[in-house]
Amino acid sequence: MTETMHEQRPFVWAPKFDTGVGDIDDQHHVLVNTLNEANLTLRHETSIPAIDRLLQDLLAYALYHFETEEHLMLEHDYEAHEPEAARQHIEDHRKFAQQVVIMRNTLGSTGDIDRDVLLSFLGSWLQQHILGVDQKLAAFLHKRGAAG
Ligand SMILES: [Fe+2]
């Protein structure tokens, strides 16, 4: 296991992450809490199956969350109104899922994972994603009077 783990700072929620869309915000809080728990767990967890389980759980919840957002997009014709934003957003979801699968495969085949790389990928992806495409979707939903 990688010996050089730096202390990753927890993801601290700030008002700029609030989208004002109830379901999306609730699920983002779960994702952030899961990420912060992963941060703590990875400091002492050395069992590969346990780390893989953690990645699997995170991916499962992320996929569930993506489904919620993509359902809102469909329901409110996001793609027809904002085709480029919709395309980018969905692509970002797919890339995240692919990346986590690649990390799980690497863990499975090498029995090791760079925890710093893993945690910083997860943290920075989530932050950029919320502040970028998620806020864009939320602004659209607010404009349509569809947020709650
Ligand atoms: Fe999203």
Side-chain angles (χ1 to χ4, degrees), residues 32-51:
V32 166
N33 290 339
T34 307
L35 176 63
N36 287 336
E37 274 168 30
N39 190 344
L40 292 175
T41 305
L42 286 176
R43 286 185 203 179
H44 56 79
E45 186 58 73
T46 52
S47 142
I48 301 299
I51 295 173

Side-chain angles (χ1 to χ4, degrees), residues 28 65-66 69 73 89 93 125 129 133-134:
H28 282 165
H65 168 62
F66 296 164
E69 286 185 356
M73 293 183 206
H89 196 153
H93 288 171
W125 186 87
H129 186 82
V133 287
D134 284 348

